[in-house]
């Protein structure tokens, strides 16, 4: 009996020596590849952190074992010494404090334009100097997202974001450039009161009106730079007083216009069109009940 048990242990030791830990984990719920750890959940992979503490370059793939990498867990890289991160388009959720206090993190590259950012996501990343902020699920850049990023100089905010909450950029004392898209409607100003010589870029409204970017720059005493108006319809020009809200609606998937490339600003709006606009504005929800006969 002892001889059989010893033989079994020797075989097990040989298997462990031949196959890496990641290969054994592949059959279970977790796996590690290229210094990154993942867990599998509902046919997707979720980044849980570093599998090797010495890893500094984090290049997250689209797929792990043929499963899409859909999220980065809460606290996944918190406090680690990573320096660069690549986040693929497949990642749609980044958990709370996922990169908090990564003090050596210098660059974050997103391949897609959408990724929901959790609370305190990049808090304390004091080596970041510029940041592209993707569209979030709620359209809100939340409290603490970039708090304490003391060397952050430039921020480009993607279309689709609608509000910047108080505390989102708290302590970003070197911020010098902010791009505000036409979709942003609310900016709480308390994080920016101590800043000087800031350039705000965005779409300029016309005919006496002002976009949120213009209003924000005026209120804070910052310099405003007008971005070139992106003509999304052939019959809507930058000079038109309704050009900014039309661009906002087009960029947020609320309005599509006609198949010939026109918006039809002088056309009457039907009840059916208004219902479609409101439905899209609310995220195209499924009906709560079947219509009655």
């Amino acid at each position: 009996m002892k001889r059989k048990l010893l033989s079994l242990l020797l075989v097990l030791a040989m298997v462990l020596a031949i196959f890496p830990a990641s290969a054994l984990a592949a059959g279970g719920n977790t796996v590690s590849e290229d210094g990154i750890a993942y867990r599998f959940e509902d046919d997707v992979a979720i980044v849980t952190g570093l599998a090797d503490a010495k890893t500094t370059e984090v290049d997250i793939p689209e797929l792990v074992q043929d499963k899409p990498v859909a999220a980065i867990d809460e606290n996944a890289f918190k406090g680690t010494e990573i320096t660069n991160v690549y986040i693929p388009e497949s990642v749609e959720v980044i958990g709370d404090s996922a990169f908090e206090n990564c003090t050596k993190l210098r660059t974050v590259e997103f391949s897609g334009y959408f990724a929901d950012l959790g609370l305190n996501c990049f808090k304390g990343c004091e080596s970041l100097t510029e940041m592209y902020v993707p569209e979030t699920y709620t359209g809100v850049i939340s409290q603490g997202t970039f708090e304490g990023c003391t060397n952050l100089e430039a921020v480009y905010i993607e279309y689709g974001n609608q509000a910047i909450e108080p505390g989102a950029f708290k302590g970003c004392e070197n911020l010098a450039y902010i791009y505000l898209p036409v979709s942003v409607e609310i900016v709480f100003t308390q994080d920016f009161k101590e800043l000087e010589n800031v350039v705000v870029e965005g779409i300029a409204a016309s005919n006496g009106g002002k976009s949120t970017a213009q209003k924000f720059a005026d209120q804070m005493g910052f310099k405003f730079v007008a971005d070139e108006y992106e003509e999304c319809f052939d019959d809507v020009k930058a000079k038109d007083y309704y050009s900014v809200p039309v661009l906002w609606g087009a960029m947020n998937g609320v309005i599509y216009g006609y198949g010939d490339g026109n918006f039809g600003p002088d056309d009457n709006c039907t009840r059916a069109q208004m219902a479609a606009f409101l439905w899209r504005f609310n995220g195209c929800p499924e009906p709560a009940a079947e219509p009655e006969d």
Side-chain angles (χ1 to χ4, degrees):
M1 184 68 180
K2 289 182 179 179
R3 185 173 298 175
K4 288 183 179 179
L5 181 60
L6 181 59
S7 299
L8 210 64
L9 290 173
L10 287 172
V11 170
L12 181 60
M14 289 174 65
V15 169
L16 289 173
I18 294 171
F19 293 101
S22 60
L24 293 175
N29 198 41
T30 61
V31 66
S32 62
E33 291 185 5
D34 298 324
I36 307 172
Y38 307 86
R39 77 170 189 274
F40 297 119
E41 187 176 299
D42 297 328
D43 292 323
V44 299
I46 298 172
V47 179
T48 59
L50 293 179
D52 183 351
K54 296 180 180 179
T55 301
T56 57
E57 303 275 343
V58 176
D59 189 348
I60 299 172
E62 289 265 357
L63 299 171
V64 170
Q65 295 190 0
D66 296 326
K67 291 180 172 60
V69 181
I72 299 174
D73 230 344
E74 295 181 4
N75 306 308
F77 299 101
K78 184 176 181 179
T80 60
E81 297 191 353
I82 59 174
T83 57
N84 303 288
V85 175
Y86 171 81
I87 301 173
E89 188 174 0
S90 60
V91 172
E92 295 188 348
V93 178
I94 301 178
D96 295 351
S97 301
F99 297 96
E100 184 176 346
N101 290 334
C102 291
T103 57
K104 294 184 179 181
L105 183 60
R106 297 191 301 270
T107 62
V108 180
E109 181 182 352
F110 290 89
S111 68
Y113 67 89
F114 176 87
D116 207 35
L117 305 181
L119 295 172
N120 304 323
C121 192
F122 293 97
K123 182 177 180 179
C125 293
E126 58 188 38
S127 294
L128 282 177
T129 57
E130 56 185 33
M131 190 71 195
Y132 167 82
V133 185
E135 178 187 358
T136 67
Y137 179 75
T138 60
V140 174
I141 302 173
S142 303
Q143 179 179 354
T145 302
F146 299 100
E147 181 180 344
C149 294
T150 52
N151 288 297
L152 189 61
E153 298 176 357
V155 172
Y156 182 98
I157 297 173
E158 179 60 85
Y159 281 106
N161 288 306
Q162 299 172 14
I164 300 175
E165 285 192 339
F169 291 94
K170 182 179 179 181
C172 295
E173 57 194 39
N174 284 301
L175 200 56
Y177 172 86
I178 306 170
Y179 183 90
L180 287 180
V182 68
S183 59
V184 170
E185 299 175 340
I186 301 172
V187 180
F188 287 91
T189 60
Q190 66 185 48
D191 294 346
F192 309 97
K193 288 183 176 179
E194 303 299 322
L195 301 179
E196 298 178 353
N197 302 317
V198 176
V199 173
V200 178
E201 186 173 359
I203 299 295
S206 57
N207 291 339
K210 290 188 176 183
S211 64
T212 300
Q214 286 175 288
K215 293 176 183 177
F216 172 64
D218 288 350
Q219 183 178 354
M220 304 306 299
F222 299 154
K223 179 181 178 181
F224 176 75
V225 174
D227 188 16
E228 182 177 352
Y229 182 82
E230 184 174 343
E231 294 186 1
C232 47
F233 300 107
D234 295 338
D235 56 351
V236 178
K237 307 299 180 183
K239 62 181 179 60
D240 297 325
Y241 71 90
Y242 47 77
S243 62
V244 170
V246 167
L247 178 62
W248 181 92
M251 289 295 181
N252 286 281
V254 176
I255 55 177
Y256 297 137
Y258 296 107
D260 62 359
N262 289 319
F263 174 67
D266 297 321
D267 295 352
N268 291 325
C269 188
T270 67
R271 291 178 63 184
Q273 287 172 326
M274 281 303 302
F277 297 157
L278 292 171
W279 177 67
R280 294 173 193 147
F281 178 77
N282 284 282
C284 304
E286 294 291 331
E290 293 293 330
E292 297 181 2
D293 295 332

